[in-house]
PDB file of all heavy atoms in Angstrom:
ATOM      1  N   ALA A  60     107.890 100.360 103.225  1.00  0.00           N
ATOM      2  CA  ALA A  60     108.321 100.577 104.631  1.00  0.00           C
ATOM      3  C   ALA A  60     109.667  99.946 104.912  1.00  0.00           C
ATOM      4  O   ALA A  60     110.378 100.396 105.843  1.00  0.00           O
ATOM      5  CB  ALA A  60     107.257 100.027 105.580  1.00  0.00           C
ATOM      6  N   SER A  65     116.693  98.051 104.101  1.00  0.00           N
ATOM      7  CA  SER A  65     117.279  97.036 103.214  1.00  0.00           C
ATOM      8  C   SER A  65     118.564  97.531 102.576  1.00  0.00           C
ATOM      9  O   SER A  65     119.243  96.742 101.880  1.00  0.00           O
ATOM     10  CB  SER A  65     116.282  96.711 102.117  1.00  0.00           C
ATOM     11  OG  SER A  65     116.147  97.799 101.142  1.00  0.00           O
ATOM     12  N   TYR A  97      99.032 118.287  96.084  1.00  0.00           N
ATOM     13  CA  TYR A  97      98.060 117.207  96.192  1.00  0.00           C
ATOM     14  C   TYR A  97      97.440 116.960  94.808  1.00  0.00           C
ATOM     15  O   TYR A  97      96.281 117.266  94.546  1.00  0.00           O
ATOM     16  CB  TYR A  97      96.991 117.558  97.231  1.00  0.00           C
ATOM     17  CG  TYR A  97      97.584 117.848  98.609  1.00  0.00           C
ATOM     18  CD1 TYR A  97      97.686 119.174  99.067  1.00  0.00           C
ATOM     19  CD2 TYR A  97      98.072 116.826  99.404  1.00  0.00           C
ATOM     20  CE1 TYR A  97      98.266 119.456 100.302  1.00  0.00           C
ATOM     21  CE2 TYR A  97      98.623 117.086 100.665  1.00  0.00           C
ATOM     22  CZ  TYR A  97      98.700 118.414 101.072  1.00  0.00           C
ATOM     23  OH  TYR A  97      99.278 118.685 102.314  1.00  0.00           O
ATOM     24  N   GLY A 115     114.579 119.883 102.343  1.00  0.00           N
ATOM     25  CA  GLY A 115     115.065 119.789 100.979  1.00  0.00           C
ATOM     26  C   GLY A 115     116.562 119.534 100.960  1.00  0.00           C
ATOM     27  O   GLY A 115     117.250 119.579 101.995  1.00  0.00           O
ATOM     28  N   ARG A 122     124.385 119.471  92.816  1.00  0.00           N
ATOM     29  CA  ARG A 122     125.397 118.492  92.425  1.00  0.00           C
ATOM     30  C   ARG A 122     124.900 117.649  91.246  1.00  0.00           C
ATOM     31  O   ARG A 122     125.641 117.401  90.295  1.00  0.00           O
ATOM     32  CB  ARG A 122     125.753 117.609  93.631  1.00  0.00           C
ATOM     33  CG  ARG A 122     126.634 116.415  93.318  1.00  0.00           C
ATOM     34  CD  ARG A 122     128.019 116.816  92.940  1.00  0.00           C
ATOM     35  NE  ARG A 122     128.869 115.640  92.868  1.00  0.00           N
ATOM     36  CZ  ARG A 122     129.846 115.462  91.958  1.00  0.00           C
ATOM     37  NH1 ARG A 122     130.083 116.389  91.049  1.00  0.00           N
ATOM     38  NH2 ARG A 122     130.564 114.362  91.924  1.00  0.00           N
ATOM     39  N   PHE A 132     123.934 117.701  79.206  1.00  0.00           N
ATOM     40  CA  PHE A 132     122.508 117.886  79.315  1.00  0.00           C
ATOM     41  C   PHE A 132     122.177 119.311  79.808  1.00  0.00           C
ATOM     42  O   PHE A 132     122.715 119.716  80.831  1.00  0.00           O
ATOM     43  CB  PHE A 132     121.880 116.878  80.282  1.00  0.00           C
ATOM     44  CG  PHE A 132     121.892 115.461  79.789  1.00  0.00           C
ATOM     45  CD1 PHE A 132     122.864 114.569  80.237  1.00  0.00           C
ATOM     46  CD2 PHE A 132     120.961 115.029  78.863  1.00  0.00           C
ATOM     47  CE1 PHE A 132     122.884 113.277  79.795  1.00  0.00           C
ATOM     48  CE2 PHE A 132     120.992 113.732  78.387  1.00  0.00           C
ATOM     49  CZ  PHE A 132     121.943 112.846  78.865  1.00  0.00           C
ATOM     50  N   MET A 151     106.225 108.991 102.684  1.00  0.00           N
ATOM     51  CA  MET A 151     105.556 108.957 103.976  1.00  0.00           C
ATOM     52  C   MET A 151     105.560 107.536 104.563  1.00  0.00           C
ATOM     53  O   MET A 151     105.599 107.348 105.793  1.00  0.00           O
ATOM     54  CB  MET A 151     104.127 109.440 103.883  1.00  0.00           C
ATOM     55  CG  MET A 151     103.990 110.950 103.739  1.00  0.00           C
ATOM     56  SD  MET A 151     102.246 111.462 103.579  1.00  0.00           S
ATOM     57  CE  MET A 151     101.598 111.085 105.213  1.00  0.00           C
ATOM     58  N   ALA A 174     117.784 108.688  76.374  1.00  0.00           N
ATOM     59  CA  ALA A 174     118.279 109.903  77.038  1.00  0.00           C
ATOM     60  C   ALA A 174     118.127 109.749  78.547  1.00  0.00           C
ATOM     61  O   ALA A 174     119.037 110.194  79.294  1.00  0.00           O
ATOM     62  CB  ALA A 174     117.465 111.109  76.542  1.00  0.00           C
ATOM     63  N   PHE A 199     103.125  99.168  85.659  1.00  0.00           N
ATOM     64  CA  PHE A 199     101.928  99.112  84.862  1.00  0.00           C
ATOM     65  C   PHE A 199     101.092 100.352  85.190  1.00  0.00           C
ATOM     66  O   PHE A 199     100.821 100.586  86.367  1.00  0.00           O
ATOM     67  CB  PHE A 199     101.122  97.839  85.164  1.00  0.00           C
ATOM     68  CG  PHE A 199      99.928  97.623  84.278  1.00  0.00           C
ATOM     69  CD1 PHE A 199      99.951  96.693  83.230  1.00  0.00           C
ATOM     70  CD2 PHE A 199      98.730  98.351  84.437  1.00  0.00           C
ATOM     71  CE1 PHE A 199      98.853  96.500  82.390  1.00  0.00           C
ATOM     72  CE2 PHE A 199      97.655  98.172  83.618  1.00  0.00           C
ATOM     73  CZ  PHE A 199      97.695  97.231  82.594  1.00  0.00           C
ATOM     74  N   GLN A 208      89.986  90.753  84.694  1.00  0.00           N
ATOM     75  CA  GLN A 208      90.070  90.500  83.250  1.00  0.00           C
ATOM     76  C   GLN A 208      91.333  91.090  82.639  1.00  0.00           C
ATOM     77  O   GLN A 208      91.711  90.746  81.494  1.00  0.00           O
ATOM     78  CB  GLN A 208      88.835  91.096  82.564  1.00  0.00           C
ATOM     79  CG  GLN A 208      88.763  92.613  82.497  1.00  0.00           C
ATOM     80  CD  GLN A 208      88.147  93.217  83.753  1.00  0.00           C
ATOM     81  OE1 GLN A 208      87.961  92.517  84.758  1.00  0.00           O
ATOM     82  NE2 GLN A 208      87.792  94.477  83.673  1.00  0.00           N
ATOM     83  N   GLN A 215     101.695  89.086  81.357  1.00  0.00           N
ATOM     84  CA  GLN A 215     102.578  88.896  80.195  1.00  0.00           C
ATOM     85  C   GLN A 215     103.500  90.094  80.043  1.00  0.00           C
ATOM     86  O   GLN A 215     104.708  89.949  79.759  1.00  0.00           O
ATOM     87  CB  GLN A 215     101.713  88.683  78.950  1.00  0.00           C
ATOM     88  CG  GLN A 215     100.948  87.373  78.918  1.00  0.00           C
ATOM     89  CD  GLN A 215     100.017  87.294  77.764  1.00  0.00           C
ATOM     90  OE1 GLN A 215     100.417  87.447  76.591  1.00  0.00           O
ATOM     91  NE2 GLN A 215      98.712  87.108  77.996  1.00  0.00           N
ATOM     92  N   ALA A 219     107.713  90.112  80.521  1.00  0.00           N
ATOM     93  CA  ALA A 219     108.618  90.571  79.501  1.00  0.00           C
ATOM     94  C   ALA A 219     109.437  91.752  79.957  1.00  0.00           C
ATOM     95  O   ALA A 219     110.655  91.807  79.675  1.00  0.00           O
ATOM     96  CB  ALA A 219     107.787  90.949  78.261  1.00  0.00           C
ATOM     97  N   GLU A 234     119.634  98.187  76.197  1.00  0.00           N
ATOM     98  CA  GLU A 234     119.046  98.195  74.850  1.00  0.00           C
ATOM     99  C   GLU A 234     117.629  97.633  74.853  1.00  0.00           C
ATOM    100  O   GLU A 234     116.736  98.166  74.192  1.00  0.00           O
ATOM    101  CB  GLU A 234     119.926  97.382  73.897  1.00  0.00           C
ATOM    102  CG  GLU A 234     119.424  97.375  72.429  1.00  0.00           C
ATOM    103  CD  GLU A 234     119.372  98.763  71.818  1.00  0.00           C
ATOM    104  OE1 GLU A 234     120.144  99.683  72.258  1.00  0.00           O
ATOM    105  OE2 GLU A 234     118.556  98.950  70.914  1.00  0.00           O
ATOM    106  N   PRO A 243     105.630  92.663  74.645  1.00  0.00           N
ATOM    107  CA  PRO A 243     104.221  92.345  74.516  1.00  0.00           C
ATOM    108  C   PRO A 243     103.358  93.268  75.386  1.00  0.00           C
ATOM    109  O   PRO A 243     103.658  93.519  76.555  1.00  0.00           O
ATOM    110  CB  PRO A 243     104.156  90.931  75.045  1.00  0.00           C
ATOM    111  CG  PRO A 243     105.524  90.361  74.854  1.00  0.00           C
ATOM    112  CD  PRO A 243     106.443  91.524  75.065  1.00  0.00           C
ATOM    113  N   PRO A 257     110.914 106.858  85.018  1.00  0.00           N
ATOM    114  CA  PRO A 257     111.804 106.850  86.169  1.00  0.00           C
ATOM    115  C   PRO A 257     112.616 105.536  86.283  1.00  0.00           C
ATOM    116  O   PRO A 257     113.695 105.550  86.851  1.00  0.00           O
ATOM    117  CB  PRO A 257     110.818 107.006  87.374  1.00  0.00           C
ATOM    118  CG  PRO A 257     109.686 107.799  86.765  1.00  0.00           C
ATOM    119  CD  PRO A 257     109.518 107.247  85.407  1.00  0.00           C
ATOM    120  N   GLY A 280      94.032  94.439  89.611  1.00  0.00           N
ATOM    121  CA  GLY A 280      94.194  93.501  88.522  1.00  0.00           C
ATOM    122  C   GLY A 280      95.491  93.648  87.778  1.00  0.00           C
ATOM    123  O   GLY A 280      95.784  92.832  86.893  1.00  0.00           O
TER     124      GLY A 280
END
Side-chain angles (χ1 to χ4, degrees):
S65 73
Y97 302 104
R122 171 68 172 142
F132 291 100
M151 284 179 68
F199 185 104
Q208 71 274 13
Q215 293 173 55
E234 183 60 27

